[in-house]
mmCIF file of all heavy atoms in Angstrom:
data_model
loop_
_atom_site.group_PDB
_atom_site.id
_atom_site.type_symbol
_atom_site.label_atom_id
_atom_site.label_comp_id
_atom_site.label_asym_id
_atom_site.label_seq_id
_atom_site.Cartn_x
_atom_site.Cartn_y
_atom_site.Cartn_z
ATOM 1 N N ARG A 26 -11.828 36.991 -27.690
ATOM 2 C CA ARG A 26 -11.040 38.172 -28.117
ATOM 3 C C ARG A 26 -9.680 38.158 -27.426
ATOM 4 O O ARG A 26 -8.650 38.431 -28.065
ATOM 5 C CB ARG A 26 -11.785 39.458 -27.760
ATOM 6 C CG ARG A 26 -11.089 40.698 -28.192
ATOM 7 C CD ARG A 26 -11.914 41.962 -27.897
ATOM 8 N NE ARG A 26 -12.180 42.167 -26.537
ATOM 9 C CZ ARG A 26 -13.386 42.016 -25.945
ATOM 10 N NH1 ARG A 26 -14.484 41.645 -26.677
ATOM 11 N NH2 ARG A 26 -13.569 42.195 -24.641
ATOM 12 N N ASN A 27 -9.667 37.868 -26.099
ATOM 13 C CA ASN A 27 -8.385 37.926 -25.379
ATOM 14 C C ASN A 27 -7.627 36.598 -25.235
ATOM 15 O O ASN A 27 -6.436 36.577 -24.998
ATOM 16 C CB ASN A 27 -8.650 38.544 -24.007
ATOM 17 C CG ASN A 27 -9.276 39.944 -24.058
ATOM 18 O OD1 ASN A 27 -8.990 40.630 -25.018
ATOM 19 N ND2 ASN A 27 -10.082 40.259 -23.068
ATOM 20 N N ASN A 28 -8.355 35.524 -25.279
ATOM 21 C CA ASN A 28 -7.786 34.135 -25.049
ATOM 22 C C ASN A 28 -8.337 33.260 -26.183
ATOM 23 O O ASN A 28 -9.023 32.232 -25.863
ATOM 24 C CB ASN A 28 -8.115 33.600 -23.699
ATOM 25 C CG ASN A 28 -7.740 34.543 -22.513
ATOM 26 O OD1 ASN A 28 -8.570 35.443 -22.201
ATOM 27 N ND2 ASN A 28 -6.633 34.422 -21.954
ATOM 28 N N PRO A 29 -8.003 33.478 -27.399
ATOM 29 C CA PRO A 29 -8.585 32.742 -28.541
ATOM 30 C C PRO A 29 -8.250 31.248 -28.566
ATOM 31 O O PRO A 29 -9.038 30.457 -29.149
ATOM 32 C CB PRO A 29 -8.048 33.458 -29.757
ATOM 33 C CG PRO A 29 -6.741 34.123 -29.342
ATOM 34 C CD PRO A 29 -7.024 34.504 -27.895
ATOM 35 N N ASP A 30 -7.209 30.852 -27.890
ATOM 36 C CA ASP A 30 -6.829 29.428 -27.906
ATOM 37 C C ASP A 30 -7.557 28.573 -26.842
ATOM 38 O O ASP A 30 -7.430 27.343 -26.806
ATOM 39 C CB ASP A 30 -5.315 29.256 -27.731
ATOM 40 C CG ASP A 30 -4.495 29.771 -28.914
ATOM 41 O OD1 ASP A 30 -5.098 29.730 -30.072
ATOM 42 O OD2 ASP A 30 -3.421 30.202 -28.697
ATOM 43 N N VAL A 31 -8.341 29.229 -25.987
ATOM 44 C CA VAL A 31 -9.044 28.532 -24.944
ATOM 45 C C VAL A 31 -10.406 28.014 -25.466
ATOM 46 O O VAL A 31 -11.254 28.796 -25.784
ATOM 47 C CB VAL A 31 -9.234 29.408 -23.698
ATOM 48 C CG1 VAL A 31 -10.084 28.674 -22.617
ATOM 49 C CG2 VAL A 31 -7.906 29.831 -23.111
ATOM 50 N N PRO A 32 -10.558 26.723 -25.522
ATOM 51 C CA PRO A 32 -11.920 26.206 -25.906
ATOM 52 C C PRO A 32 -12.873 26.396 -24.813
ATOM 53 O O PRO A 32 -12.652 26.228 -23.693
ATOM 54 C CB PRO A 32 -11.640 24.741 -26.235
ATOM 55 C CG PRO A 32 -10.397 24.340 -25.396
ATOM 56 C CD PRO A 32 -9.635 25.604 -25.323
ATOM 57 N N VAL A 33 -14.104 26.778 -25.200
ATOM 58 C CA VAL A 33 -15.205 27.079 -24.294
ATOM 59 C C VAL A 33 -16.456 26.220 -24.561
ATOM 60 O O VAL A 33 -16.886 26.155 -25.727
ATOM 61 C CB VAL A 33 -15.658 28.543 -24.352
ATOM 62 C CG1 VAL A 33 -16.805 28.811 -23.357
ATOM 63 C CG2 VAL A 33 -14.479 29.502 -24.102
ATOM 64 N N ILE A 34 -16.820 25.455 -23.506
ATOM 65 C CA ILE A 34 -18.022 24.614 -23.603
ATOM 66 C C ILE A 34 -19.117 25.368 -22.821
ATOM 67 O O ILE A 34 -18.970 25.679 -21.650
ATOM 68 C CB ILE A 34 -17.819 23.213 -22.958
ATOM 69 C CG1 ILE A 34 -16.661 22.487 -23.766
ATOM 70 C CG2 ILE A 34 -19.109 22.376 -22.981
ATOM 71 C CD1 ILE A 34 -16.240 21.173 -23.126
ATOM 72 N N ILE A 35 -20.195 25.651 -23.552
ATOM 73 C CA ILE A 35 -21.358 26.320 -22.982
ATOM 74 C C ILE A 35 -22.386 25.321 -22.354
ATOM 75 O O ILE A 35 -22.657 24.280 -22.979
ATOM 76 C CB ILE A 35 -22.099 27.150 -23.999
ATOM 77 C CG1 ILE A 35 -21.220 28.323 -24.479
ATOM 78 C CG2 ILE A 35 -23.424 27.769 -23.451
ATOM 79 C CD1 ILE A 35 -20.968 29.436 -23.473
ATOM 80 N N ILE A 36 -22.844 25.581 -21.113
ATOM 81 C CA ILE A 36 -23.826 24.731 -20.482
ATOM 82 C C ILE A 36 -25.005 25.638 -20.091
ATOM 83 O O ILE A 36 -24.831 26.787 -19.777
ATOM 84 C CB ILE A 36 -23.296 23.921 -19.286
ATOM 85 C CG1 ILE A 36 -22.747 24.844 -18.232
ATOM 86 C CG2 ILE A 36 -22.254 22.914 -19.773
ATOM 87 C CD1 ILE A 36 -22.301 24.146 -16.949
ATOM 88 N N SER A 37 -26.230 25.106 -20.098
ATOM 89 C CA SER A 37 -27.359 25.931 -19.724
ATOM 90 C C SER A 37 -28.571 25.040 -19.412
ATOM 91 O O SER A 37 -28.798 23.961 -20.132
ATOM 92 C CB SER A 37 -27.738 26.901 -20.843
ATOM 93 O OG SER A 37 -28.935 27.596 -20.430
ATOM 94 N N GLY A 38 -29.341 25.450 -18.519
ATOM 95 C CA GLY A 38 -30.577 24.779 -18.158
ATOM 96 C C GLY A 38 -31.773 25.266 -18.951
ATOM 97 O O GLY A 38 -32.891 24.848 -18.838
ATOM 98 N N HIS A 39 -31.507 26.269 -19.778
ATOM 99 C CA HIS A 39 -32.556 26.891 -20.576
ATOM 100 C C HIS A 39 -32.233 26.828 -22.072
ATOM 101 O O HIS A 39 -32.443 27.739 -22.844
ATOM 102 C CB HIS A 39 -32.779 28.397 -20.199
ATOM 103 C CG HIS A 39 -32.910 28.554 -18.742
ATOM 104 N ND1 HIS A 39 -34.088 28.378 -18.066
ATOM 105 C CD2 HIS A 39 -31.966 28.922 -17.783
ATOM 106 C CE1 HIS A 39 -33.889 28.610 -16.764
ATOM 107 N NE2 HIS A 39 -32.584 28.962 -16.590
ATOM 108 N N GLY A 40 -31.658 25.677 -22.463
ATOM 109 C CA GLY A 40 -31.180 25.504 -23.772
ATOM 110 C C GLY A 40 -32.255 25.525 -24.897
ATOM 111 O O GLY A 40 -33.295 24.949 -24.661
ATOM 112 N N ASN A 41 -31.904 26.114 -25.943
ATOM 113 C CA ASN A 41 -32.749 25.925 -27.191
ATOM 114 C C ASN A 41 -31.777 26.126 -28.335
ATOM 115 O O ASN A 41 -30.598 26.523 -28.172
ATOM 116 C CB ASN A 41 -33.896 26.955 -27.213
ATOM 117 C CG ASN A 41 -33.399 28.363 -27.058
ATOM 118 O OD1 ASN A 41 -32.472 28.798 -27.817
ATOM 119 N ND2 ASN A 41 -33.995 29.099 -26.122
ATOM 120 N N ILE A 42 -32.249 25.864 -29.519
ATOM 121 C CA ILE A 42 -31.450 25.872 -30.670
ATOM 122 C C ILE A 42 -30.903 27.228 -30.983
ATOM 123 O O ILE A 42 -29.738 27.410 -31.436
ATOM 124 C CB ILE A 42 -32.204 25.290 -31.914
ATOM 125 C CG1 ILE A 42 -31.189 25.032 -33.106
ATOM 126 C CG2 ILE A 42 -33.302 26.244 -32.293
ATOM 127 C CD1 ILE A 42 -30.157 24.054 -32.835
ATOM 128 N N GLU A 43 -31.716 28.285 -30.737
ATOM 129 C CA GLU A 43 -31.171 29.655 -30.985
ATOM 130 C C GLU A 43 -30.015 30.002 -30.127
ATOM 131 O O GLU A 43 -28.993 30.567 -30.565
ATOM 132 C CB GLU A 43 -32.296 30.653 -30.766
ATOM 133 C CG GLU A 43 -33.394 30.640 -31.802
ATOM 134 C CD GLU A 43 -34.427 29.512 -31.600
ATOM 135 O OE1 GLU A 43 -34.310 28.926 -30.436
ATOM 136 O OE2 GLU A 43 -35.244 29.288 -32.428
ATOM 137 N N ILE A 44 -30.065 29.640 -28.794
ATOM 138 C CA ILE A 44 -28.962 29.913 -27.885
ATOM 139 C C ILE A 44 -27.711 29.104 -28.322
ATOM 140 O O ILE A 44 -26.608 29.599 -28.316
ATOM 141 C CB ILE A 44 -29.367 29.560 -26.481
ATOM 142 C CG1 ILE A 44 -30.496 30.482 -25.938
ATOM 143 C CG2 ILE A 44 -28.117 29.622 -25.537
ATOM 144 C CD1 ILE A 44 -31.009 30.108 -24.572
ATOM 145 N N ALA A 45 -27.951 27.844 -28.735
ATOM 146 C CA ALA A 45 -26.785 26.983 -29.110
ATOM 147 C C ALA A 45 -26.140 27.553 -30.339
ATOM 148 O O ALA A 45 -24.872 27.692 -30.424
ATOM 149 C CB ALA A 45 -27.254 25.583 -29.426
ATOM 150 N N VAL A 46 -26.914 28.032 -31.344
ATOM 151 C CA VAL A 46 -26.325 28.540 -32.582
ATOM 152 C C VAL A 46 -25.612 29.867 -32.238
ATOM 153 O O VAL A 46 -24.481 30.112 -32.788
ATOM 154 C CB VAL A 46 -27.446 28.806 -33.608
ATOM 155 C CG1 VAL A 46 -26.901 29.623 -34.821
ATOM 156 C CG2 VAL A 46 -27.991 27.494 -34.131
ATOM 157 N N ALA A 47 -26.201 30.723 -31.419
ATOM 158 C CA ALA A 47 -25.515 32.012 -31.038
ATOM 159 C C ALA A 47 -24.172 31.723 -30.375
ATOM 160 O O ALA A 47 -23.161 32.350 -30.631
ATOM 161 C CB ALA A 47 -26.464 32.731 -30.142
ATOM 162 N N ALA A 48 -24.123 30.697 -29.444
ATOM 163 C CA ALA A 48 -22.903 30.414 -28.792
ATOM 164 C C ALA A 48 -21.786 29.814 -29.698
ATOM 165 O O ALA A 48 -20.617 30.207 -29.678
ATOM 166 C CB ALA A 48 -23.184 29.377 -27.701
ATOM 167 N N ILE A 49 -22.248 28.965 -30.668
ATOM 168 C CA ILE A 49 -21.282 28.410 -31.631
ATOM 169 C C ILE A 49 -20.744 29.504 -32.518
ATOM 170 O O ILE A 49 -19.563 29.528 -32.861
ATOM 171 C CB ILE A 49 -21.937 27.287 -32.455
ATOM 172 C CG1 ILE A 49 -22.389 26.122 -31.516
ATOM 173 C CG2 ILE A 49 -20.962 26.796 -33.552
ATOM 174 C CD1 ILE A 49 -21.305 25.490 -30.726
ATOM 175 N N LYS A 50 -21.650 30.401 -32.979
ATOM 176 C CA LYS A 50 -21.213 31.512 -33.836
ATOM 177 C C LYS A 50 -20.222 32.362 -33.183
ATOM 178 O O LYS A 50 -19.342 33.004 -33.811
ATOM 179 C CB LYS A 50 -22.420 32.295 -34.255
ATOM 180 C CG LYS A 50 -23.252 31.650 -35.391
ATOM 181 C CD LYS A 50 -24.349 32.565 -35.829
ATOM 182 C CE LYS A 50 -25.116 31.874 -36.963
ATOM 183 N NZ LYS A 50 -26.234 32.756 -37.432
ATOM 184 N N GLN A 51 -20.283 32.512 -31.889
ATOM 185 C CA GLN A 51 -19.357 33.386 -31.096
ATOM 186 C C GLN A 51 -18.088 32.621 -30.784
ATOM 187 O O GLN A 51 -17.229 33.260 -30.156
ATOM 188 C CB GLN A 51 -19.998 33.889 -29.800
ATOM 189 C CG GLN A 51 -21.146 34.832 -30.027
ATOM 190 C CD GLN A 51 -20.734 36.104 -30.722
ATOM 191 O OE1 GLN A 51 -19.606 36.516 -30.579
ATOM 192 N NE2 GLN A 51 -21.678 36.708 -31.537
ATOM 193 N N GLY A 52 -17.944 31.386 -31.170
ATOM 194 C CA GLY A 52 -16.727 30.651 -30.994
ATOM 195 C C GLY A 52 -16.657 29.534 -29.966
ATOM 196 O O GLY A 52 -15.642 28.966 -29.675
ATOM 197 N N ALA A 53 -17.868 29.244 -29.383
ATOM 198 C CA ALA A 53 -17.899 28.145 -28.393
ATOM 199 C C ALA A 53 -17.613 26.813 -29.111
ATOM 200 O O ALA A 53 -17.920 26.619 -30.263
ATOM 201 C CB ALA A 53 -19.269 28.048 -27.734
ATOM 202 N N TYR A 54 -16.910 25.950 -28.372
ATOM 203 C CA TYR A 54 -16.565 24.660 -28.977
ATOM 204 C C TYR A 54 -17.817 23.767 -29.085
ATOM 205 O O TYR A 54 -18.029 23.121 -30.047
ATOM 206 C CB TYR A 54 -15.476 23.927 -28.088
ATOM 207 C CG TYR A 54 -15.195 22.593 -28.670
ATOM 208 C CD1 TYR A 54 -14.305 22.425 -29.718
ATOM 209 C CD2 TYR A 54 -15.771 21.445 -28.149
ATOM 210 C CE1 TYR A 54 -14.008 21.209 -30.257
ATOM 211 C CE2 TYR A 54 -15.444 20.176 -28.682
ATOM 212 C CZ TYR A 54 -14.566 20.055 -29.707
ATOM 213 O OH TYR A 54 -14.326 18.822 -30.284
ATOM 214 N N ASP A 55 -18.685 23.802 -28.036
ATOM 215 C CA ASP A 55 -19.882 22.973 -28.057
ATOM 216 C C ASP A 55 -20.889 23.519 -27.031
ATOM 217 O O ASP A 55 -20.558 24.386 -26.217
ATOM 218 C CB ASP A 55 -19.555 21.517 -27.740
ATOM 219 C CG ASP A 55 -20.483 20.495 -28.459
ATOM 220 O OD1 ASP A 55 -21.587 20.937 -28.791
ATOM 221 O OD2 ASP A 55 -20.042 19.361 -28.679
ATOM 222 N N PHE A 56 -22.126 23.022 -27.089
ATOM 223 C CA PHE A 56 -23.193 23.466 -26.225
ATOM 224 C C PHE A 56 -23.818 22.188 -25.572
ATOM 225 O O PHE A 56 -24.129 21.248 -26.307
ATOM 226 C CB PHE A 56 -24.225 24.189 -27.049
ATOM 227 C CG PHE A 56 -25.433 24.699 -26.236
ATOM 228 C CD1 PHE A 56 -25.478 25.944 -25.687
ATOM 229 C CD2 PHE A 56 -26.536 23.853 -26.009
ATOM 230 C CE1 PHE A 56 -26.512 26.384 -24.954
ATOM 231 C CE2 PHE A 56 -27.618 24.299 -25.306
ATOM 232 C CZ PHE A 56 -27.647 25.536 -24.768
ATOM 233 N N ILE A 57 -23.949 22.141 -24.247
ATOM 234 C CA ILE A 57 -24.524 21.019 -23.564
ATOM 235 C C ILE A 57 -25.682 21.550 -22.648
ATOM 236 O O ILE A 57 -25.520 22.500 -21.899
ATOM 237 C CB ILE A 57 -23.497 20.283 -22.676
ATOM 238 C CG1 ILE A 57 -22.398 19.734 -23.585
ATOM 239 C CG2 ILE A 57 -24.175 19.160 -21.907
ATOM 240 C CD1 ILE A 57 -21.321 19.008 -22.763
ATOM 241 N N GLU A 58 -26.814 20.897 -22.751
ATOM 242 C CA GLU A 58 -28.016 21.312 -21.993
ATOM 243 C C GLU A 58 -28.084 20.579 -20.653
ATOM 244 O O GLU A 58 -27.805 19.402 -20.557
ATOM 245 C CB GLU A 58 -29.267 21.088 -22.809
ATOM 246 C CG GLU A 58 -30.533 21.617 -22.155
ATOM 247 C CD GLU A 58 -31.732 21.410 -23.056
ATOM 248 O OE1 GLU A 58 -31.574 20.869 -24.152
ATOM 249 O OE2 GLU A 58 -32.869 21.815 -22.654
#
């Protein structure tokens, strides 16, 4: 919302497809487990 040009890479130790899809839908560039 405030910094739309900043790409965001999400990382998590509890990754699953639902979390990855949710992150991508919110604008994350990619998801790494």
Side-chain angles (χ1 to χ4, degrees):
R26 183 173 63 251
N27 299 330
N28 308 84
D30 291 332
V31 176
V33 179
I34 298 172
I35 294 290
I36 58 175
S37 176
H39 310 279
N41 57 50
I42 190 62
E43 289 80 9
I44 295 174
V46 170
I49 298 300
K50 284 183 176 179
Q51 293 298 331
Y54 178 82
D55 212 335
F56 179 93
I57 299 178
E58 186 176 1

